Amino acid sequence: MSESGSGSTYAAAGVDIEAGDRAVELMKEWVKKASRPEVVGGLGGFAGLFDASALARYRRPLLASATDGVGTKVDIARRMGVYDTIGRDLVGMVVDDLVVCGAEPLFMTDYICVGKVYPERVAAIVKGIAEGCTLAGCALVGGETAEHPGLLGADDFDVAGAGTGVVEADQVLGADRIRTGDAVIAMASSGLHSNGYSLVRHVLFDRAGWALDREVPELGRTLGEELLEPTRIYSLDCLALTRTTEVHAFSHITGGGLANNLARVIPEGLRAVVDRSTWTPGAIFQLVGEAGSVERLELEKTLNMGVGMMAVVPADSVDVALTTLADRGVEAWVGGEITERTAGDMEAVTLTGDHAG
């Protein structure tokens, strides 16, 4: 082993420990804002601590867990040099999977992988994650930032996260609660959210040749601003629904589109009939279709088409549900209903009609 100072070092290999330490210091103020009373200790330990005695009020608590990433939307953030919104996308992808079963999100951890640690950039990413956790009502209890020189370019990065929630065993939502005659309520998305960006990037960049700074009149802003619009986080809205009225199931509309995700909560023998004429997708969806000559079926199985979350409720719960969501600033409408599945109905979800407008 060399002791002369001429040997290889971690820094020479591309890993800057001091930059990592500075990133931790910069992110601490944001992590503090994404907390809950049950969080024990602060940032910097080897593990995040959460006081599980808070679960004593449950008769039979079930822990729910979910993990996800943001996909190729991170490329838009990198190219635009905007890093403080992508974390909200990450939180939305995780916590809104948790709430589908009725679980209250409790805490999250994150993993940020970079080619080179730029402390301010990492802190900005964590800021977005912390803001997302605040919107979701959960705590950010820890995470990891890894520097991977040689595997990632200096400006490249990716993010992933995992979340834990809790739900009372006899209040778990899902397919077993759904009945004929139930209404399907659609909640508007804020745009593309965080799915289908491989198709979107191929269509708008590779085929159409559009630039991120292109002003798009139909969008009322630049293409880059539209593509970087953060994912709407529905967890607190969904939990509010479960408190104000009866809810049988939720479906988080992510990769695979509306029909495929809604089908995951439809029981055997029943089907959901969703009427496209009940809403008009945002302009970005039409632009992607037109720019890439993408057929409607391909769009619908890739993008959310303007619906980010769906709730299945009894018909007599519709008015309260829509009022609750409206009071919380969530645009929502009755998009369909649950019917019996006949011998000729092969699909659990059927989309009918054409979009309004």
Side-chain angles (χ1 to χ4, degrees):
M1 178 182 299
S2 173
E3 298 181 359
S4 65
S6 61
S8 298
T9 65
Y10 213 9
V15 177
D16 190 338
I17 294 177
E18 290 183 358
D21 291 341
R22 173 163 167 72
V24 171
E25 288 300 315
L26 290 174
M27 69 177 71
K28 280 184 176 180
E29 65 172 296
W30 300 110
V31 176
K32 287 180 182 178
K33 296 179 181 180
S35 189
R36 287 174 55 121
E38 303 92 339
V39 175
V40 177
L43 190 66
F46 285 91
L49 299 176
F50 190 90
D51 186 356
S53 67
L55 306 184
R57 61 186 173 89
Y58 289 82
R59 298 182 305 277
R60 186 189 170 202
L62 299 183
L63 293 180
S65 66
T67 185
D68 210 336
V70 179
T72 58
K73 189 172 182 175
V74 298
D75 183 59
I76 307 299
R78 179 188 62 80
R79 292 172 62 175
M80 291 188 66
V82 177
Y83 303 98
D84 62 353
T85 63
I86 203 75
R88 287 168 58 183
D89 294 287
L90 176 63
V91 175
M93 291 297 99
V94 174
V95 300
D96 287 339
D97 276 355
L98 291 174
V99 82
V100 162
C101 68
E104 174 191 359
L106 298 175
F107 57 84
M108 272 193 66
T109 57
D110 63 63
Y111 176 75
I112 303 171
C113 181
V114 300
K116 179 178 175 59
V117 171
Y118 297 102
E120 289 77 12
R121 181 179 302 179
V122 173
I125 295 171
V126 173
K127 172 189 174 185
I129 297 172
E131 290 176 339
C133 286
T134 300
L135 290 171
C138 69
L140 180 60
V141 297
E144 173 73 9
T145 299
E147 193 170 23
H148 288 178
L151 293 180
L152 297 175
D155 290 332
D156 293 335
F157 74 99
D158 200 5
V159 295
T164 298
V166 62
V167 60
E168 195 72 74
D170 60 7
Q171 295 176 9
V172 173
L173 305 179
D176 60 310
R177 293 176 177 257
I178 294 178
R179 300 289 182 266
T180 301
D182 283 353
V184 179
I185 292 178
M187 302 178 216
S189 69
S190 57
L192 294 167
H193 283 185
S194 302
N195 302 104
Y197 273 74
S198 293
L199 172 64
V200 171
R201 290 164 55 248
H202 170 69
V203 166
L204 297 181
F205 301 155
D206 300 338
R207 292 195 57 170
W210 288 11
L212 286 170
D213 61 358
R214 179 191 180 105
E215 292 285 348
V216 184
E218 297 93 329
L219 301 176
R221 54 183 171 177
T222 67
L223 177 63
E225 290 169 335
E226 175 71 23
L227 297 185
L228 211 56
E229 177 68 33
T231 299
R232 175 171 284 167
I233 297 173
Y234 301 92
S235 57
L236 292 182
D237 305 312
C238 291
L239 291 174
L241 274 188
T242 65
R243 291 192 297 268
T244 58
T245 193
E246 184 178 356
V247 178
H248 288 165
F250 290 115
S251 177
H252 188 196
I253 310 305
T254 57
L258 188 155
N260 285 340
N261 282 287
L262 183 56
R264 296 165 68 178
V265 299
I266 303 301
E268 288 291 332
L270 299 182
R271 68 168 178 159
V273 180
V274 177
D275 185 357
R276 297 185 186 93
S277 71
T278 59
W279 83 97
T280 302
I284 185 62
F285 301 99
Q286 182 176 351
L287 287 173
V288 172
E290 292 177 349
S293 299
V294 184
E295 296 183 359
R296 183 168 71 179
L297 179 61
E298 184 67 22
L299 286 175
E300 289 180 338
K301 73 178 185 180
T302 307
L303 307 178
N304 67 56
M305 298 305 291
V307 179
M309 180 72 77
M310 304 193 90
V312 181
V313 305
D316 59 8
S317 293
V318 167
D319 289 344
V320 175
L322 292 178
T323 298
T324 298
L325 292 170
D327 288 345
R328 298 184 61 82
V330 179
E331 180 185 357
W333 62 93
V334 176
E337 64 176 341
I338 303 298
T339 68
E340 291 187 2
R341 196 186 313 187
T342 65
D345 297 326
M346 301 298 294
E347 303 295 335
V349 176
T350 301
L351 299 180
T352 64
D354 295 311
H355 290 297

